[in-house]
Amino acid sequence: MKYAVLGTGMVGATLANKLLSQGHHVMMGSRSKDNEKALAWKAAAGERASTGTFSDAAAFGEVIINATLGSASLEALALAGEDNLAGKVLVDTSNPLDFSKGMPPSLFTNSPDSLGERIQRAHPKARVVKAFNTLASP
């Protein structure tokens, strides 16, 4: 299966590596094709790993994993492109954390709204599934 992982951080790399270890093909997407973290990941990850822009990755993947910073998720998914997300499962690992006042972070969404709901409203043709939101990253 072909997966797109949007984001080059610890969560994205961990999920991408696990998918590769299970025999899947993974494209890691970022804002630019020459993202240093993505290229370093690809060099270490092997032949089923590739990189590209958010749009490239979303077009490639049968399943999309949003592993971007919560405050950047809506922008990253807009860059991925509505047509590239339409009809696909979009696994959202992001959290609406606001670090502007230091630790501990607060949320930039308020009940009853959530970041997942905002993502679904922005991309109504995607099939958004929230995941990993109560687990700390390794």
Side-chain angles (χ1 to χ4, degrees), residues 51 54 61 63 70 73 78 83 92 96 98 101-102 116:
T51 63
F54 289 134
V63 173
S73 289
D83 289 343
D92 179 39
D98 178 359
K101 295 178 181 133

Side-chain angles (χ1 to χ4, degrees), residues 6 30-31 53-59 64 66 68-86 90 92 115 118-124 126 128:
L6 308 182
S30 60
R31 283 183 173 76
T53 65
F54 289 134
S55 179
D56 295 334
I64 316 297
N66 175 38
T68 62
L69 185 65
S71 59
S73 289
L74 288 171
E75 178 187 354
L77 291 167
L79 292 170
E82 185 63 34
D83 289 343
N84 293 330
L85 300 175
L90 170 58
D92 179 39
L115 183 54
R118 290 180 183 187
I119 290 170
Q120 185 68 80
R121 279 193 304 270
H123 304 284
V128 177

Side-chain angles (χ1 to χ4, degrees), residues 3 6 27 35 42 54 56 65-66 69 92 95 98 108 115-116 135 137:
Y3 285 86
L6 308 182
M27 181 180 283
N35 180 287
K42 179 184 172 188
F54 289 134
D56 295 334
I65 298 173
N66 175 38
L69 185 65
D92 179 39
N95 290 302
D98 178 359
F108 63 77
L115 183 54
L135 303 174
S137 62

